DNA sequence: ACCTGAACACCGTTCAAGT
DNA sequence: ACCTGAACACCGTTCAAGT
């Protein structure tokens, strides 16, 4: 509802030197808040109680300050959310083992990205409203693997974009499953689902999202290699 | 925050016979609201002013009733949203021309699904929290095309699931682009984007989401045909 | 410079009371 | 059966005032 311009308001916030200027110890009341503390508290709150629990008032309570205090460090709640998503997405690590075929390593690379977002479902939810910037080193690593696979370097960026979008989209759809009235979880892995059929005919179909992910990526890579030869 | 059980509360709402019992004309004050009217008003409000404008109070104002009145017809705002998404997703039409190769027709089928959600961005946004049921006839048509393409009937469901997830995920990621600080629209088609690069090196990369969609689907189908031969 | 206290304009939801 | 009026417990945000 209230619209604010990104850059302008950000510059009003002074991030770093709270502790140096106030000289109060962190953690207590009047503790010299920092942006980092606020983001960290937001993540803990969000991971613990879900994204709906991430309110300005609740966050302030967790930090033992008044809610208005947060507005000195951040321009708005949206600004906080953006920082949270940026922080989580910066934590993506895709160290793939140097051994194995390029294809296997690329599959691991993409699986690692999916796994990261599955570990942070609340951040994934926030990422819809506040899309993060792609970590550059992650993209670089993925493109290198594509080249190692035999993709012409000029096509690598385009191909990686396809893969990246597919993974992101997949994880989002996968997360939505938990909210779906038509899907119910099955088994203990957290990846098996049964799809309720409303009509009378046909058995309820069951599937595993792990397998679905694997075949999706497999088909894309097969397609890339087929059209490349 | 308030959790309610789906089936139980739905049954308390009496959908149809408002007009018959009250005998008042629709449209004016005390107009014998129906669920359909409420859903329709919600869609118009949402399409016109965005999903954030879809509030219980605003919806009531548009219908010229008090907000509490809506709670006789629906159990909660979530319940309204679910009905809205269900309605929009039921409107998907994928009449593909009978002419053309199976592959071309399948591509049109999937493109039609993407186009439908692009026409209803607010509903797409809602669909994340309230995933709709897949229209059965749409899935049937798609699977038939896969069989016509040469996919064994036993694999058709699984393959179509891959395609369906990919399209849904793609459209969601595509929609997020508009909110991204790192992407800015280019051109007049609404599908061209330039990706801002924060470092100094490298030219800003540009791409067209139409093309990206086409190659993604193309690669998946190539992969299916390659692994099938 | 950094934070409090109090206010403002909103939310979704409930419920007695009307007709 | 269907809707109003008023209340309740929340939101995000602003701003003078404190230190």
């Amino acid at each position: 509802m209230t619209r604010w311009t990104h850059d302008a308001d950000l510059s009003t916030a002074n991030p770093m030197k709270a502790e140096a200027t106030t000289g109060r110890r962190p953690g207590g009341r009047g503790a010299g808040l920092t942006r980092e503390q606020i983001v960290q508290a937001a993540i803990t709150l969000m991971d613990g109680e879900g994204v709906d629990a991430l309110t300005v008032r609740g966050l302030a309570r967790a930090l033992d300050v008044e809610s208005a205090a947060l507005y000195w460090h951040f321009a708005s709640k949206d600004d906080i959310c953006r920082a949270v998503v940026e922080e989580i997405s910066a934590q993506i690590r895709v160290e793939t083992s140097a051994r194995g075929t390029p294809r296997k390593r690329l599959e691991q690379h993409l699986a690692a990205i999916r796994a990261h977002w599955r570990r942070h479902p609340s951040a994934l939810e926030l990422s819809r409203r506040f899309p993060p910037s792609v970590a550059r080193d992650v993209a670089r690593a993925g493109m290198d693997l594509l080249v190692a696979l035999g993709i012409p370097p000029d096509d690598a960026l385009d191909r990686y974009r396809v893969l990246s979008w597919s993974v992101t989209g997949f994880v989002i759809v996968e997360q939505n499953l938990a909210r779906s009235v038509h899907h119910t979880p099955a088994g203990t892995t957290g990846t098996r689902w049964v799809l309720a059929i409303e009509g009378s005919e046909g058995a309820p179909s069951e599937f595993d999202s792990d397998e679905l992910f694997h075949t999706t990526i497999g088909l894309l890579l097969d397609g890339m290699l087929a059209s490349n030869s």
Side-chain angles (χ1 to χ4, degrees), chain A:
Chain A
M1 131 167 338
T2 45
R3 308 191 173 279
W4 59 280
T5 54
H6 185 63
D7 310 56
D9 292 10
L10 259 186
S11 60
T12 67
N14 182 346
M16 286 291 143
K17 41 188 166 184
E19 231 163 326
T21 51
T22 65
R24 309 190 198 131
R25 71 193 174 297
R29 173 163 284 267
L33 275 181
T34 64
R35 289 184 127 240
E36 290 72 20
Q37 284 174 38
I38 295 174
V39 169
Q40 189 48 55
I43 293 177
T44 346
L45 203 158
M46 205 177 66
D47 283 351
E49 312 192 38
V51 75
D52 286 345
L54 179 53
T55 69
V56 175
R57 286 173 151 88
L59 184 53
R61 198 181 315 121
L63 288 160
D64 198 23
V65 293
E66 294 300 310
S67 37
L70 303 179
Y71 286 86
W72 195 87
H73 299 274
F74 289 92
S76 61
K77 184 192 177 184
D78 284 8
D79 196 15
I80 298 177
C81 292
R82 239 179 299 265
V84 163
V85 172
E86 240 10 281
E87 169 63 21
I88 295 282
S89 89
Q91 289 173 4
I92 296 187
R93 292 290 172 268
V94 283
E95 300 111 5
T96 158
S97 61
R99 295 269 165 252
T101 67
R103 166 131 188 182
K104 267 265 171 284
R105 293 171 61 199
L106 186 50
E107 284 169 352
Q108 282 173 22
H109 171 101
L110 299 172
I113 295 176
R114 167 169 172 250
H116 184 264
W117 287 115
R118 277 176 62 91
R119 259 180 257 118
H120 301 280
S122 299
L124 178 61
E125 192 159 357
L126 273 188
S127 78
R128 177 120 187 232
R129 290 187 79 105
F130 312 101
S133 60
V134 271
R136 196 109 72 93
D137 51 341
V138 175
R140 252 277 61 94
M143 288 169 58
D144 287 347
L145 287 170
L146 276 172
V147 174
L149 241 181
I151 304 294
D154 284 353
D155 297 352
L157 175 58
D158 209 58
R159 298 309 199 194
Y160 187 74
R161 218 195 298 275
V162 169
L163 293 174
S164 173
W165 278 47
S166 294
V167 173
T168 309
F170 187 96
V171 178
I172 292 175
V173 174
E174 187 176 19
Q175 165 164 279
N176 292 172
L177 243 50
R179 277 191 278 263
S180 170
V181 192
H182 319 93
H183 295 79
T184 49
T188 56
T189 53
T191 56
R192 288 206 68 83
W193 300 87
V194 309
L195 175 59
I197 307 238
E198 26 210 273
S200 50
E201 43 152 333
S205 81
E206 194 169 336
F207 68 96
D208 188 308
S209 64
D210 262 353
E211 289 174 18
L212 196 60
F213 180 76
H214 191 258
T215 71
T216 300
I217 298 302
L219 289 171
L220 285 172
L221 296 181
D222 285 348
M224 289 183 189
L225 298 180
S227 63
N228 196 45
S229 61

